[in-house]
Amino acid sequence: MAAEPPPPPDPSTPPRESNRIRKGKKSRGAKRPKRAAASTSSAATMMVEDPFLVLAGGKEGGFLELEEIDEADFGIFGGAVEDVGDGDNKTGKDQKKKKKRKRGDDDLAGDGDLVVESEEADKGEKCLKRKRRNRKKRKVKEKVKILESKEDVTDDNVEDMQDEKDSMEQDNNDELILGEDEVYAWKELRLHPLLITAMRRLGFKEPTPIQKACFPAAAHQGKDVIGAAETGSGKTLAFGLPILQRLLEEQGKASRLGREDENTADGSSRESPLRALILTPTRELAKQVCDHLKEATKFLGIQVVPIVGGLSMEKQERLLKRKPEIVVGTPGRLWELMSTGNQHLAKLHSLSFFVLDEADRMIERGHFHELQSIIEMLPLTNGSDEQTVRTTSSCETVPILQIKKRQTFVFSATLALSANFRKKLKRGLVTPKASDLSSMEALSKQAGMKPNAEIVDLTNASILPEKLEECFIECSDDDKDACLYYILSVHGQGRTIIFCTSIAALRHLSSILRILGINVLTNHAQMQQRARMKSVDRFRGSENSIMVATDGFARGMDFDDVRTVIHYQLPHSTDVYIHRSGRTARKSLAGCSIALISPSDKAKFYTLCKSLSKENLQQFPVDHAYMPAVMNRLNLARQIDKISRKNSQENASKSWLQRSAESMGLVLETSDSEEERVQGHKQRKATSAHLQKLQQDLSELLQHPLQPKTFSRRYLAGAGVSLLLQKQLEELSKSNVNGTGSANENKGSRFVVIGQDRIEPLQALQNSGQEVCVNIDKQREKRRVAENWRRKKHQEKKRTREQKRKDKKKAKERD
Ligand SMILES: Nc1ncnc2c1ncn2[C@@H]1O[C@H](COP(=O)(O)OP(=O)(O)OP(=O)(O)O)[C@@H](O)[C@H]1O
């Protein structure tokens, strides 16, 4: 097993660097992405004291404690727990601001000041309000939890709970982003009023095409749905909203019939049966779908819980005891709980929705057995449309509701159905064997898909996001690290995902990048589930975070504004490439996907381009002047990595030997002679000194921003001087005028480093990317034409030479 990556060489190492202005035309960067703008002015003021400060990278992401993750998952009202931490500090600041405002009023500040102050006052007030609300919500949640855990719920308690819920609803109204008349499109769909409010709160003005296409069939006509649309198109709510609509309609019916009161009085109001079971192929996706649905069900009193492997089973059993209506999980853990007789999961007769998300992935090897077992547990769906469920278990009463037949939703980013699938379904011709889940058709049929299912296929030839810009860099296998480091340190701005196909490559890469002072997160199948969830949360938490992940991360994960996706290794299939690239350019934002192509990747790459019908692709512009500096650092990092790995492997095997000996009650004796021991000691000392030296050298290099070979400290380029640079120059000249004349004393030896804001990969590509033909057939044709031309030329030359020789010979003979 590979050792854990070693820590970075020096904690003081600046995490990431910025370009510097240099002589020549390369100072592009006049256009800046919006997000960087906020930091510009503060960075400029920092520069005079410590020019390198402005070069420091982005802020670290919030590191969620496990308990926090758990709380966020399992909130009663379905909403994620809002950030109420460090409230004291912030409140303190707010109070200070308030005082300041008061003083400002008294001092009768100028107009501009007043505007700023009143804006601040508004902000402060909003902030306080939000905090009060959060505190209140927390209290309510705690109270509800306590009440629910009590076995004897009294009428008073129930009334209290209702009051608190009412006040939450009031809060809900306060949080609305959109006005009532802005959500006309949802009303047209006849979405439940409470869901419309939820959409207003989420700021979702209108349904996405897949939601619009699925909702009427699923919610109003009660049909099964097979849905396919590009990644990031809102598939979660496409199946989520019909589920919530029906649950809310049934709640409404029940309360109209006065049954809710009855149930509440006997304390079983929250003991609802399982109504929707959503299966996802990965744990991360399950958590994401769950969080997304929780967002939508906030204030609705519908519980959604995630059931995934890798987390405590006891805790999940406790969660299921709360009888959540919606369970989102992965087949493995769900089946584990079902097969051990979990009562809530066993009540599948009450199930109204069975959902398979990312179904194409689900049918890949690995999930077969559990998926098959779960599907076999499902009651048959061909009962009557309206069946009354009265089943009771020994200890619980299932509310008597008119439960319609179960609906099946199968969603995916790609749709691999035969042209006559619907006909086959209708005629009952899709008759998979009991164990056949190898295709979407067989899976859909086995899951109970009915013949009148709605098939919504919004995929088209190019299912990659519209605003995605794809490009590639041609390099040797060995240079992939260098290219990657170049992108991250020269351009790297914004959230980035680096995809590897193998865990070994991921480990190597993340270790090297960390040694180079780039703080990367990792996510792969051999990590502990909690660690994976933490890394996802940290990735979400910072807008400059970098994730190195394997393909498990490629599907369905939804992050705000991932700016760049880098394919360090090419995926094995076009499908995975689409999913990987689809992590960026979501929600109509632009994004960039860069593939690193080594000679051994070429054939695969051309096939991929062909299957995506791409004739030309842009080449990412790499400024080779940076490469010597990149290679310097990389060579040091590789040496450090090699030594550290060797050391940690030795330590691991030594401690294993010791542990084994101890467990057998043996004393470990070394067979080494005294001389060998001394020799070994000396060698270790020398290695450690060498390691230290390497680390020191690297950390010295990392203290300076990466410079191109042609960089001159004496001259500034006139063109393309960015706003940040202009401000820094202004500051610099001011500080010189203000009497820090000592700088002039020794002009030759002193220089000032000026931070240039970086341009992100997408912008670099747009500025100077070059289109290259990636159609292998065309390339072959071109090569053949060129070859023919060369051959012809060669023959022509040969003929001329021959002719000349003959002419000479003839001339000689004549003489
Ligand atoms: N109607 C809407 N309006 C605006 N944003 C929406 C709407 N519906 C969903 N979203 C947002 O779009 C993003 C993508 O949604 P979702 O994760 O459901 O996409 P997806 O199709 O499942 O993607 P993937 O195939 O990658 O899983 C989410 O952040 C979600 O909040």
Side-chain angles (χ1 to χ4, degrees), residues 204 206 211 231-236 292 556 558 583 586-587:
F204 295 170
E206 57 191 6
Q211 291 162 2
T231 60
S233 55
K235 291 190 286 291
T236 310
H292 201 6
D558 177 47
R583 297 313 99 205
R586 291 167 83 83
K587 299 186 206 166

Side-chain angles (χ1 to χ4, degrees), residues 186 199 202-208 210-211 229-239 241 285 288-289 292 357-358 412-413 554-560 579 582-583 586-587:
W186 289 113
M199 295 303 110
L202 289 172
F204 295 170
K205 206 171 171 186
E206 57 191 6
T208 61
I210 184 85
Q211 291 162 2
E230 64 170 279
T231 60
S233 55
K235 291 190 286 291
T236 310
L237 285 187
F239 62 75
L241 288 177
L285 190 57
Q288 184 182 289
V289 169
H292 201 6
D357 192 16
E358 299 285 344
S412 153
R555 305 242 184 177
M557 296 305 293
D558 177 47
F559 299 102
D560 278 345
H579 283 292
R583 297 313 99 205
R586 291 167 83 83
K587 299 186 206 166

